[in-house]
Amino acid sequence: DVFFGAELRFLAVGAAPYWIAPALRLRSEARDGRAEVVLATHVGRWRRLGSHALVAALGSLWLLAVVGTTAGLSAGAVTDTGVGDLLPAALATAPAVLVCLALTVLLFGLLPRWSTSAWGVLAVFVLLGEFGALLSLPEWALGISPFDHLGSLPGGDANAAGLLALVVVALAVGGAGFATFRRRDLVT
């Protein structure tokens, strides 16, 4: 269970390119002039940003479901752990992934030229998760990473308060990203 829990967290971080890339595509579309053409039609800013964020969110959830299912099928062939254990554990990482997506949306809405720093944010989360305890960092520093609030699945208990807090943070940060995008000029 400890092995699968660690691997599912790695794979959740591995879903990162799928949520960062569609969000950062917005920046390249604005830079290349395609955003102006789309926004000149009846498509509004929120609809455009929302479609990219929705594709990133649903794609990430789909990847997590595939990871949980395939890990469960392969583990079930040799152990007592199966899809019923690993699929929920993989999907339990979704709130942390959604926080990362929301941070990318906020960066794009607030500081579009710095939106590629979403890769740096992901790197900080990975470094905190991998080396934070080894370096004896304080709990508040480890808590910066959303992946630190997931609990210990499979085999343990989910941190329900942590998961709920991550969903609230994702909604608040994502909402702030949408609001800042709506109020700023396009960067061309």
Side-chain angles (χ1 to χ4, degrees), residues 76-131:
V78 293
T79 67
D80 294 337
T81 303
V83 175
D85 300 314
L86 295 181
L87 179 60
L91 292 176
T93 63
V97 172
L98 294 178
V99 166
C100 296
L101 169 63
L103 286 169
T104 306
V105 170
L106 179 64
L107 280 170
F108 174 71
L110 192 59
L111 303 165
R113 293 183 186 190
W114 289 86
S115 58
T116 55
S117 64
W119 293 108
V121 170
L122 176 64
V124 167
F125 292 161
V126 170
L127 290 173
L128 285 172
E130 294 305 308
F131 300 112

